[in-house]
Amino acid sequence: MMLDTSKKILIVGLGLIGGSYAKALRKLGFQISAITLKQEDIDYALQNGIIDFGYTEPLPEVIGQAELVIFALYPHVFLEWIASYQQYLRSGALLTDVTGVKGAIVERIQSMLRPDVEFIAAHPMAGREVYGVQNSDERIFRGANYIVTPTARNTEAAIQDCLELGRLMGFAHVSVLSPEKHDEMIGFVSQLTHCIAVSLMTCYDGEKLQDYTGDSFRDLTRIARINDDMWSELFLLNKDMLLDSMDKFLTEFTRLRTCLEHGDRETMRQMMRVSTERRAFFDKK
């Protein structure tokens, strides 16, 4: 299929990311339907022109109309949804997702799917420290990365459609990784950083800390305002990759601590020079 605006899109899960997808795609002229749990979220999305149609139940006729289905669900809910409702999917439908881990779900979804529908996984590397469709904003995709994670089961047409979806929504960089490489990278650049932010907030319980901090602490702990239900599930699903990243971090942190303990200023400075050099690549982007 080609992603022209005549294609009907269904978004399952209308939270922050699902709502932001809806806003971006509806502004491009696509007809957007959504299925989500809370009627208040449907009402908000309809009243604010985020979607065209909304439902709190997975109605067969609604599912069957969609040519592109975007799943913005927790991983375990995504798996349960496919097992329960895939029989209602339109033949030839293309499915994609926004899930933050891939190795634990992509093959499982693809192996259970009917042969006449296709799932091509993707991960929008964007978000905010707030949740819900009420906080959705398609502008979070600008300047962000979007990763497509195909397997041998995917067709080239589906891969290209998924890449096009990322470009249409305004992502600055659209790339392809295997599910395994994706999880390795995400374990380091996303999950480890959340672990560090959480640890910073829990390792010191001084009163009125917010009255004495500067920008560095606020910047480092921005993502410590965290959805514990979602992130604990993502951590456990990517356990081995995340543990490896945590071990790498602990090795370097211990090296820095040892330098401080023994007054090894030159090694500390060398670590700082490497850090500055590598961080400069982000500023160039």
Side-chain angles (χ1 to χ4, degrees):
M1 74 182 247
M2 293 297 293
L3 291 180
D4 62 80
T5 56
S6 68
K7 304 299 181 185
K8 295 180 180 179
I9 296 178
L10 172 64
I11 297 176
V12 183
L14 200 63
L16 174 70
I17 299 299
S20 299
Y21 266 56
K23 283 185 174 180
L25 293 168
R26 194 165 187 268
K27 284 185 176 180
L28 291 169
F30 290 94
Q31 177 183 293
I32 307 296
S33 297
I35 299 172
T36 203
L37 287 176
K38 297 180 181 178
Q39 185 62 47
E40 64 193 71
D41 292 337
I42 294 296
D43 293 342
Y44 178 88
L46 288 170
Q47 291 164 8
N48 289 274
I50 299 172
I51 60 175
D52 295 287
F53 307 100
Y55 312 89
T56 58
E57 298 291 337
L59 303 175
E61 61 271 25
V62 174
I63 298 169
Q65 290 175 359
E67 293 159 278
L68 173 63
V69 186
I70 299 165
F71 290 92
L73 302 171
Y74 285 17
H76 75 279
V77 179
F78 184 18
L79 288 161
E80 292 168 1
W81 198 101
I82 292 296
S84 299
Y85 305 115
Q86 68 160 306
Q87 67 265 32
Y88 304 130
L89 291 166
R90 177 192 184 116
S91 182
L94 181 64
L95 282 54
T96 190
D97 72 329
V98 306
T99 313
V101 292
K102 299 303 180 190
I105 66 161
V106 176
E107 289 286 355
R108 292 174 67 184
I109 295 288
Q110 290 182 337
S111 65
M112 74 169 71
L113 268 180
R114 291 162 28 199
D116 61 331
V117 295
E118 184 171 355
F119 170 54
I120 173 68
H123 185 187
M125 294 292 293
R128 303 173 69 187
E129 286 66 61
V130 288
Y131 304 96
V133 66
Q134 294 82 1
N135 292 300
S136 60
D137 188 346
E138 75 280 8
R139 291 173 296 182
I140 64 175
F141 302 146
R142 299 173 191 170
N145 295 321
Y146 175 89
I147 306 171
V148 179
T149 59
T151 72
R153 295 176 184 263
N154 286 120
T155 62
E156 184 60 30
I159 296 170
Q160 292 304 317
D161 281 345
C162 197
L163 290 168
E164 184 184 357
L165 182 66
R167 297 186 190 105
L168 284 172
M169 290 191 294
F171 285 89
H173 184 67
V174 177
S175 60
V176 176
L177 289 176
S178 69
E180 295 75 21
K181 188 64 176 177
H182 166 276
D183 287 358
E184 177 187 338
M185 294 299 297
I186 294 309
F188 181 72
V189 303
S190 178
Q191 295 180 340
L192 175 63
T193 55
H194 282 78
C195 289
I196 293 168
V198 168
S199 299
L200 275 171
M201 292 306 304
T202 59
C203 74
Y204 182 81
D205 60 357
E207 292 184 2
K208 296 186 177 180
L209 192 64
Q210 68 275 10
D211 292 341
Y212 315 118
T213 56
D215 289 343
S216 59
F217 190 83
R218 281 191 290 268
D219 290 346
L220 278 170
T221 58
R222 177 181 60 84
I223 55 176
R225 186 178 177 182
I226 193 168
N227 181 333
D228 58 284
D229 190 23
M230 179 181 75
W231 281 96
S232 60
E233 179 176 352
L234 294 175
F235 285 178
L236 289 168
L237 287 174
N238 202 32
K239 177 180 176 180
D240 291 343
M241 296 296 189
L242 179 54
L243 285 172
D244 183 65
S245 291
M246 293 174 84
D247 288 343
K248 288 184 173 70
F249 176 79
L250 287 170
T251 296
E252 286 302 289
F253 194 81
T254 301
R255 181 158 74 107
L256 187 58
R257 186 189 186 286
T258 301
C259 291
L260 179 62
E261 183 180 10
H262 295 288
D264 185 356
R265 184 180 182 187
E266 183 49 43
T267 301
M268 282 196 290
R269 291 187 66 189
Q270 176 59 26
M271 291 179 72
M272 292 172 184
R273 287 192 290 267
V274 171
S275 170
T276 299
E277 180 182 346
R278 292 179 179 176
R279 184 60 178 79
F281 287 105
F282 292 82
D283 298 328
K284 290 176 184 177
K285 287 189 67 176

